């Protein structure tokens, strides 16, 4: 008996990783991608966020190594930077600068999104050879609907994007929606008579702007300036391949960064961090600034009991997106790929697989969701203005103290980074050593000036 056929909608990062997770577990994978991939790594329309700074967190790196051993090294060989936090990444939190030392726990990756996706795609396609799974990539083809009924999805309707716009049907035992933020799956499911998933949205109204520069003399550190209540504007400055650096600016509603090149430096100046401002003045812009506004946290609860027809699941941005300021989405795509691979290894494609895998994928995004939404809820347009209850006040008090201590205290800082870099679940923040230091030691401020040298 065959193992079954899968169709993956969307050949971006999550779709490629999902295809990679399926290798050896199904007979065929058809990856449907509406764009045509460029010959060399380059921006493409289907991934509009691809011009913006994309840092890949340590939790994602670990999961990627488990899924495809050596792939982090391949990214570095292709030009990506490996950056250790907090040694190579200095961060200004709302209470001041965090200490800079070598902790050796959190390696991150920084490169353009185009390089990242192309390197992962090349590896997955290479692994397909000899895996026992035949992989076909349908480029220039868009999914336009699902086949089947309310209880079971049995395939995908696709249409070529060339002049003929020929439509055809792709039957499948499993359909994975990896079509990103703009996924139309809720509408497609409704067309089959299936209920649309419950949606949760928390929108802090963050606006983004990114411009590429070439420094004459690069800094030896990434700089991250987080928005804070008295200055709800932020910046991140990080190297990518080829000697270029990306500057991403952000601001909440009413404080959105400019998309005019002539105004970018002025915005940076308003952050009151002369190190970054003076450095940028010596750098040559090599792209215009690009804006991005759709930054809400949105979760579609496909994992709720009975929410899914058999044979369908949604992964990564198609199921759950995050405010990009926390840099989590790619790591979640990899964690979801790993969760999918583990479910397949346990049981293969059996009845009920989609619901089990969907729950595992949802768990893979839980930490990112809780941290992003926890931080954004007070800024949301529909923020609850009723006075918080005692439990809520206690939680805010604890996490406020913890975040402040994390800037200075290596024990609390290690736990804070473990969770925010998606290498551990939120319970790590409540472990006895962390809780005692948070509660019993005095509240602290961070450093006043950016730590330009690594502590010895
Ligand atoms: C401004 C910004 C900055 C970000 N910064 C970071 C960061 O620093 N670190 C981080 O980890 N994450 C970051 N993210 C999040 C990250 O970009 C996403 O989480 C990630 O791209 C999700 O991958 P995906 O494959 O689900 O979606 P996408 O990368 O969006 O890919 C979706 C794919 O589906 C294809 N597609 C769509 N519809 C169809 C269709 N109907 N038929 C066929 N193909 C289709 C598209 O062409 C595309 O190739 C950022 C996001 C934004 C918006």
């Amino acid at each position: 008996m065959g193992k079954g056929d899968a169709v993956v909608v969307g050949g971006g990062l999550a779709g490629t990783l999902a295809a990679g997770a399926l290798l050896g577990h199904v007979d065929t994978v058809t990856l449907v991608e509406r764009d045509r991939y460029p010959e060399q790594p380059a921006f493409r329309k289907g991934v509009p966020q691809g011009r913006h700074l994309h840092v890949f967190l340590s939790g994602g790196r670990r999961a990627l190594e488990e899924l495809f051993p050596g792939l982090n090294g391949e990214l570095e060989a292709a030009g990506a930077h490996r950056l250790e936090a907090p040694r190579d990444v200095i961060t200004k939190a709302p209470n001041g600068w965090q200490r800079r030392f070598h902790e050796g726990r959190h390696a991150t990756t920084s490169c353009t999104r185009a390089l990242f996706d192309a390197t992962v795609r090349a590896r997955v396609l290479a692994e397909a050879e000899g895996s026992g799974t035949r992989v076909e990539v349908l480029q220039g083809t868009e999914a336009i609907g699902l086949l089947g009924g309310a209880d079971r999805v049995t395939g995908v309707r696709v249409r070529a994007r060339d002049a003929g716009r020929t439509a055809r049907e792709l039957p499948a035992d499993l359909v994975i929606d990896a079509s990103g933020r703009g996924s139309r799956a809720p509408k497609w499911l409704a067309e089959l008579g299936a209920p649309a998933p419950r949606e949760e949205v928390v929108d802090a109204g963050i606006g983004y702007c990114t411009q590429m520069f070439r420094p004459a003399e690069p800094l030896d550190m990434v700089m991250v300036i987080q928005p804070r209540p008295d200055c709800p504007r932020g910046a991140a400055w990080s190297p990518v391949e080829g000697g270029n650096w990306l500057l991403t600016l952000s601001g909440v509603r009413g404080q959105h960064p400019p998309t005019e090149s002539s105004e970018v430096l002025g915005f940076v100046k308003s952050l009151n961090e002369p190190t970054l401002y003076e450095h940028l003045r010596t750098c040559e812009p090599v792209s215009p600034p690009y804006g991005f506004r759709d930054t809400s946290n949105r979760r579609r609860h496909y994992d709720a009991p009975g929410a899914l027809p058999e044979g369908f699941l949604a992964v990564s941005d198609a199921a759950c997106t995050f405010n990009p300021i926390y840099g989590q989405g790619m790591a979640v795509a990899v964690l979801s790929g790993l969760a999918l691979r583990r479910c397949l290894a346990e049981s293969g494609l059996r009845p009920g697989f989609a619901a089990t895998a969907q729950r595992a994928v949802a768990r893979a995004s839980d930490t990112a969701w809780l941290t992003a939404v926890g931080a954004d809820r007070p800024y949301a347009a529909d923020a609850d203005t009723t006075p918080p209850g005692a439990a809520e006040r206690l939680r805010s008090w604890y996490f406020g103290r913890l975040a402040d201590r994390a800037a200075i205290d290596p024990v609390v800082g290690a736990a804070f980074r473990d969770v925010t870099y998606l290498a551990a679940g939120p319970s790590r923040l409540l472990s006895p050593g962390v809780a005692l230091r948070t509660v019993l030691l005095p509240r602290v401020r961070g450093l006043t000036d950016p730590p330009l040298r690594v502590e010895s």
Side-chain angles (χ1 to χ4, degrees), residues 9-15 32-35 37 44-49 52-57 113 117 141-144 178-182 184 188 208 292 294-295 315-318 320 322 324-333:
V9 177
L13 181 62
V32 180
E33 170 52 50
R34 67 178 173 194
D35 277 353
Y37 297 122
R44 61 186 176 84
K45 267 171 89 175
V47 187
Q49 73 274 30
H52 297 271
L53 176 56
H54 273 75
V55 169
F56 184 46
L57 299 176
R113 199 40 215 278
D117 287 13
T141 304
E142 66 182 328
I144 51 172
S179 61
R181 283 184 168 254
R184 311 202 68 202
W188 296 342
Y208 243 60
F292 201 96
D294 173 18
T295 58
V315 294
S316 196
D317 277 18
C320 191
F322 312 94
I325 210 164
Y326 307 112
Q328 299 167 316
M330 293 159 71
V332 168

Side-chain angles (χ1 to χ4, degrees), residues 107-132:
T108 61
T109 305
S110 181
C111 63
T112 62
R113 199 40 215 278
L115 181 72
F116 197 97
D117 287 13
T119 310
V120 171
R121 190 163 63 243
R123 172 67 181 266
V124 169
L125 294 179
E127 294 242 338
E129 301 294 323
S131 68

Side-chain angles (χ1 to χ4, degrees), residues 146-160:
L146 296 170
L147 306 174
D151 295 333
R152 176 164 199 103
V153 169
T154 58
V156 180
R157 204 144 25 89
V158 300
R159 183 170 60 198

